[in-house]
Amino acid sequence: MRKLIIPLLALIIFIGESVLANVFSGYLYGGTSFLIPRMTVIFIAFLTIYGSRKTAFMYAFILGLLYDVAYTEILGVYTFAFPVAAYLISKIMKILQSNLLISGLITLLFIAVIEAAVYQLNILLGFTSVDFRDFSLLRLVPTLLLNLVFIVITAYPLRRTIESLRVDSEGE
Amino acid sequence: MPQFFFNKKLILLLVSIILLVALIGFSMRDRDKLTWPEQFIQDTTGWAQNVFNKPVSAVTRFVENLGDLQHTYDENKKLKARLDEYVQLKTEVQELSEENEDLRKTLDKKDSLREYESIQATVIGRDPDQMWHELIRINKGKLQGVEKNMAVITADGLIGKVKTPGQFSSTVELLTSVDTTNRVSAIVQGDDKAYGIIEGFDEEKGLLMLKRIPYDKKIKKNSYVITSGYGGIFPRGLPIGKVVDVKIDQNGLNQTAYVQPSTDFYDINNVMVLERKVAGKEAEIQDEGQE
């Protein structure tokens, strides 16, 4: 039963993101700025830092693939971005201490990195013509602020859940 | 052997970049149908979204209703004032449509670009990665008769077209999406009708761009923009919005009208998918091909 908690959490976060985007679309995108919920990235980052690396990579790949197929319909972008981010986070966390403040900041940093990378890719593919200044004002900064709030709320419970399950699986 | 491991990682990176480019290229093609694993994933997530959406939307609807209650008195006043106007308009419309029908009969012209059948649907999810791709998911699919490229409207007007129909759920591309295949032939109403094409969305102003209007047409502000039905897919006469600004293009041959959409693209709950009764040219060619 306890083994199901992480997959279930991943599913709820993944589906919840699109339902949230729909229900609060007026608040998230209706104004002059775009606030993109990135709970999936927060989940993957915390799984990488506090869980086992292998599972984290697997979840990053599967969630990225699902994100591409189900939401954006352009395959490859997030399938590539999520595992690469997970890999880089795991490398960085070998040097840094894994307390909540630092992992929160690293997560936020990687949300910014993913946003910027996806923006560059969209420029390349011709899905947008917004210049970088507008992108950072319209989308990047508001998105980071929204996700900072998410991180502050979810960091502690997320860490506890992942760590307790990890202890479990190592004990077996 | 650190050198060996480095190479292994490098090769892995190179292979995945090649895969990335190949996958993007594959999905950027103008595809008629998604591959079956994609359809399977979409239908499964569509089902899950449906399950999640029900309790969430019930709660938000309740909260919204509470908010609405506060404005009820003012709204009621305004609506009462408009009621007389409405009765007059209704009788006029009825008379005109009867006359139209009679005239059509005398002309023996049965087909009309205006006629359509509609499928009711509920929005169950939205692509969280907005601004790049503006997609919403609805809870009706091929089994209910939804097909690719059908027009999707709300009570206020046109919002987009069906991008990829699944079995039980479909993806709708909004008019605000930046996509080269996202074009709608439209008319600016007025004494002098002007035809143009809706091409893209101005992200900062929040206005649709109606391009390719001949330079000599005089376009009044606040005139209404509707679909023309000449694109071959959409029915005629669906409201799109109102003109707020007109600009001459760089070369001076065309002008662009900025259109304030009549629907709020960020508050969509219930939609209708429209099937035009008169098939477009593309559909006719396909039918012939099948026969």
Side-chain angles (χ1 to χ4, degrees):
Chain A
M1 193 59 212
R2 290 186 69 100
K3 274 185 181 167
L4 281 176
I5 290 178
I6 291 286
L8 213 65
L9 200 65
L11 182 78
I12 289 171
I13 287 173
F14 178 71
I15 301 289
E17 213 165 63
S18 85
V19 173
L20 193 87
N22 178 36
V23 172
F24 296 108
S25 59
Y27 303 102
L28 294 174
Y29 321 114
T32 46
S33 52
F34 286 80
L35 298 105
I36 317 297
R38 287 274 180 227
M39 293 181 299
T40 325
V41 180
I42 299 174
F43 175 74
I44 290 168
F46 272 72
L47 205 60
T48 319
I49 299 168
Y50 296 113
S52 79
R53 260 181 45 175
K54 241 184 182 171
T55 19
F57 290 165
M58 198 181 74
Y59 275 100
F61 179 73
I62 292 173
L63 286 175
L65 190 66
L66 284 178
Y67 207 99
D68 279 338
V69 173
Y71 297 155
T72 65
E73 299 198 351
I74 300 293
L75 305 181
V77 178
Y78 287 102
T79 320
F80 187 70
F82 285 175
V84 169
Y87 176 74
L88 292 177
I89 288 173
S90 77
K91 282 279 157 197
I92 288 178
M93 288 321 280
K94 274 185 184 160
I95 310 164
L96 295 172
Q97 270 185 328
S98 60
N99 65 35
L100 267 185
L101 183 71
I102 288 175
S103 17
L105 286 177
I106 290 289
T107 309
L108 205 62
L109 174 75
F110 272 91
I111 290 171
V113 170
I114 287 175
E115 280 291 327
V118 171
Y119 162 75
Q120 280 303 332
L121 206 62
N122 276 302
I123 288 267
L124 267 177
L125 298 175
F127 282 115
T128 184
S129 51
V130 181
D131 60 25
F132 192 80
R133 199 184 135 270
D134 283 346
F135 158 74
S136 42
L137 287 178
L138 277 173
R139 181 170 162 135
L140 187 61
V141 174
T143 300
L144 288 181
L145 287 178
L146 176 76
N147 285 291
L148 183 64
V149 175
F150 280 153
I151 292 172
V152 168
I153 296 169
T154 58
Y156 186 67
L158 202 59
R159 178 189 172 172
R160 282 295 298 271
T161 323
I162 292 169
E163 274 185 341
S164 71
L165 290 169
R166 189 186 181 188
V167 170
D168 259 26
S169 61
E170 275 171 2
E172 275 167 19
Chain B
M1 290 185 288
Q3 188 65 37
F4 175 71
F5 278 112
F6 178 72
N7 280 340
K8 206 168 150 190
K9 270 176 195 162
L10 201 70
I11 289 167
L12 190 71
L13 186 71
L14 281 177
V15 169
S16 40
I17 285 175
I18 291 168
L19 262 174
L20 168 79
V21 173
L23 271 175
I24 289 174
F26 172 72
S27 47
M28 287 272 287
R29 283 186 316 166
D30 193 18
R31 292 189 288 174
D32 283 337
K33 241 170 50 184
L34 292 178
T35 53
W36 71 262
E38 282 174 275
Q39 280 198 12
F40 176 73
I41 292 175
Q42 285 215 343
D43 278 325
T44 320
T45 50
W47 177 81
Q49 280 170 326
N50 221 341
V51 171
F52 274 68
N53 192 52
K54 270 185 187 142
V56 174
S57 66
V59 172
T60 49
R61 213 173 296 148
F62 179 71
V63 174
E64 262 172 36
N65 285 347
L66 280 184
D68 284 347
L69 270 179
Q70 292 181 322
H71 312 293
T72 315
Y73 181 73
D74 288 338
E75 266 177 13
N76 204 8
K77 248 193 202 166
K78 268 186 210 158
L79 287 175
K80 264 188 185 155
R82 286 180 66 178
L83 211 57
D84 299 333
E85 229 176 282
Y86 174 69
V87 171
Q88 202 185 343
L89 204 69
K90 199 183 166 191
T91 49
E92 212 174 291
V93 166
Q94 200 161 4
E95 215 156 278
L96 283 174
S97 63
E98 270 168 24
E99 197 180 308
N100 194 341
E101 218 167 279
D102 281 349
L103 289 172
R104 271 178 187 284
K105 261 183 201 159
T106 51
L107 275 173
D108 213 21
K109 186 174 184 306
K110 281 172 199 151
D111 297 344
S112 165
L113 292 179
R114 285 173 187 280
E115 281 175 23
Y116 53 76
E117 278 169 20
S118 64
I119 302 160
Q120 302 281 342
T122 309
V123 180
I124 51 172
R126 197 179 181 109
D127 170 21
D129 193 19
Q130 291 286 307
M131 196 164 168
W132 313 139
H133 322 273
E134 313 251 343
L135 307 171
I136 57 173
R137 182 66 69 79
I138 57 172
N139 67 345
K140 292 285 162 72
K142 278 182 195 159
L143 291 181
Q144 285 86 12
V146 176
E147 272 163 47
K148 193 181 162 81
N149 285 335
M150 281 182 177
V152 181
I153 62 166
T154 63
D156 299 322
L158 185 73
I159 57 164
K161 64 172 187 189
V162 176
K163 192 183 180 211
T164 40
Q167 294 299 326
F168 323 102
S169 66
S170 318
T171 311
V172 174
E173 187 171 39
L174 299 181
L175 282 179
T176 50
S177 184
V178 183
D179 184 349
T180 44
T181 58
N182 209 4
R183 301 270 190 274
V184 182
S185 170
I187 309 173
V188 183
Q189 287 183 320
D191 301 333
D192 192 13
K193 264 189 201 167
Y195 290 87
I197 296 171
I198 296 273
E199 276 189 21
F201 184 69
D202 193 313
E203 209 76 67
E204 277 166 64
K205 292 180 193 160
L207 300 172
L208 291 165
M209 288 183 283
L210 180 63
K211 289 186 180 171
R212 300 175 200 219
I213 308 168
Y215 71 96
D216 53 347
K217 295 277 180 190
K218 287 210 175 64
I219 290 165
K220 279 184 202 148
K221 275 181 194 175
N222 285 332
S223 41
Y224 289 96
V225 179
I226 59 168
T227 55
S228 72
Y230 295 156
I233 307 156
F234 293 173
R236 191 188 174 98
L238 305 175
I240 297 174
K242 239 185 202 177
V243 175
V244 285
D245 194 14
V246 185
K247 265 186 195 155
I248 300 278
D249 275 1
Q250 280 176 334
N251 50 20
L253 292 171
N254 291 313
Q255 44 187 349
T256 298
Y258 287 86
V259 179
Q260 174 76 52
S262 54
T263 22
D264 182 0
F265 287 109
Y266 300 107
D267 185 19
I268 307 168
N269 295 312
N270 295 300
V271 297
M272 276 189 287
V273 184
L274 307 182
E275 182 180 14
R276 201 169 81 171
K277 280 196 174 162
V278 183
K281 202 165 187 186
E282 217 174 301
E284 273 168 21
I285 292 169
Q286 273 176 4
D287 284 348
E288 277 164 24
Q290 278 166 3
E291 279 161 14

